[in-house]
Amino acid sequence: MNYQNITLEIKNRTALVTINRESKLNALNRDTIAELKDAVNQAETDESVKGLILTGAGQKAFVAGADIQEFLGKSKEEAQAMSQLGHDLMNKIANLSKPVIAAINGFALGGGLELALCCHIRIAAASAKMGLPEVSLGLIPGYGGTQRLTDLVGKGKALEMILTGDMVDAQDAYQWGVVNKVVELYELEETAQNILDKIYSRSASAVSAAILAINASLDRNVDGYGLEIRTFAECFGSEDFTEGLSAFTEKRKPRF
């Protein structure tokens, strides 16, 4: 796919995916969502890629929401299809076997915050602002925000953010558990890469297993404890476990 709305750069074993609609504050439209899904699929199947960073072009916005122009004149059936398209992308990212970090460089509003929420880790620039303002449009979050925000911050804070539609700054987002870390804008990509580099020094198969097990804790249709037992046992059959155990007994760093 030839990308018009995003860029994909692979370096340091990382796929850097940038939403590249700066004049539109990197707003999500159908084409951008399709391109993001394609880029994530590419990163998933590329054996040279060990993790992903998602960010927005420029210094103003990560993603300032969905492209509202696409909402005009839509029927309920068309709106449901739009929501499903967003859910498909967000679920793909959330369940990816490789770690995904959102580098939030500016406004992350509506669908933009929902995109960040589906990532495994979120790093925010100190100047970033986040929120789910959909109620001011007579809507609710439609790309998983009502569920993932509640998982992170609890029912009370999720209700406060969603019902008021207010933005929060990066420090409040950190205190509430929306983001993992706050850094200066110029440190953002480097910080995300440093975290990934640390993850890359660990067992890739164990990292994938951990993502699977942690995600299961949020799925009411899955016995997360049972899945953890099975996944723990499966690790014993991996080459990484053999290497990790050998490195531990020989008092050296593992070579994964």
Side-chain angles (χ1 to χ4, degrees):
M1 178 182 285
N2 292 320
Y3 299 137
Q4 304 298 317
N5 300 300
I6 70 169
T7 62
L8 172 62
E9 180 183 4
I10 297 173
K11 60 179 182 179
N12 301 322
R13 297 180 289 178
T14 298
L16 176 62
V17 182
T18 304
I19 297 91
N20 191 29
R21 303 184 73 213
E22 190 174 355
S23 64
K24 301 289 187 181
L25 296 179
N26 302 321
L28 291 180
N29 60 8
R30 293 179 64 90
D31 290 342
T32 305
I33 289 172
E35 290 183 15
L36 283 170
K37 190 171 183 180
D38 184 83
V40 170
N41 284 333
Q42 280 196 55
E44 182 179 34
T45 57
D46 187 336
E47 293 184 0
S48 71
V49 172
K50 303 302 180 186
L52 295 81
I53 296 173
L54 297 186
T55 194
Q59 298 184 2
K60 289 185 178 180
F62 173 71
V63 172
D67 193 329
I68 302 301
Q69 293 299 316
E70 289 195 335
F71 290 5
L72 299 176
K74 291 294 187 293
S75 67
K76 291 180 181 179
E77 292 75 20
E78 290 171 319
Q80 184 167 334
M82 290 173 60
S83 180
Q84 186 63 60
L85 186 69
H87 272 267
D88 290 345
L89 170 64
M90 309 302 171
N91 290 338
K92 177 71 177 179
I93 294 170
N95 294 300
L96 203 69
S97 61
K98 300 176 182 182
V100 185
I101 296 181
I104 305 170
N105 54 304
F107 290 110
L109 304 175
L113 181 54
E114 290 175 296
L115 180 62
L117 291 173
C118 76
C119 297
H120 302 131
I121 296 171
R122 284 157 296 284
I123 311 299
S127 56
K129 294 185 183 298
M130 286 152 263
L132 295 172
E134 285 87 347
V135 293
S136 64
L137 296 173
L139 295 171
I140 67 169
Y143 294 162
T146 61
Q147 308 302 298
R148 292 194 175 96
L149 183 63
T150 305
D151 289 336
L152 283 174
V153 305
K155 181 180 177 181
K157 282 297 184 185
L159 282 167
E160 180 182 342
M161 285 185 67
I162 292 171
L163 299 188
T164 65
D166 287 345
M167 290 189 295
V168 299
D169 62 26
Q171 283 300 331
D172 280 343
Y174 172 71
Q175 291 176 5
W176 293 0
V178 180
V179 300
N180 300 74
K181 192 182 290 289
V182 177
V183 299
E184 294 302 320
L185 180 61
Y186 71 89
E187 300 175 298
L188 191 59
E189 185 178 333
E190 181 181 6
T191 301
Q193 185 62 54
N194 287 342
I195 293 172
L196 286 178
D197 286 340
K198 183 173 286 189
I199 295 172
Y200 298 162
S201 71
R202 307 327 190 204
S203 159
S205 61
V207 166
S208 297
I211 292 171
L212 179 66
I214 292 168
N215 281 344
S217 73
L218 305 175
D219 190 338
R220 296 175 182 175
N221 297 314
V222 175
D223 174 10
Y225 290 100
L227 185 143
E228 182 188 272
I229 291 169
R230 295 190 300 274
T231 307
F232 172 80
E234 289 170 1
C235 289
F236 276 69
S238 70
E239 293 181 2
D240 279 358
F241 174 70
T242 301
E243 167 59 17
L245 196 61
S246 296
F248 180 81
T249 56
E250 295 167 13
K251 297 181 180 180
R252 60 173 174 82
K253 291 184 177 181
R255 296 183 290 271
F256 293 125

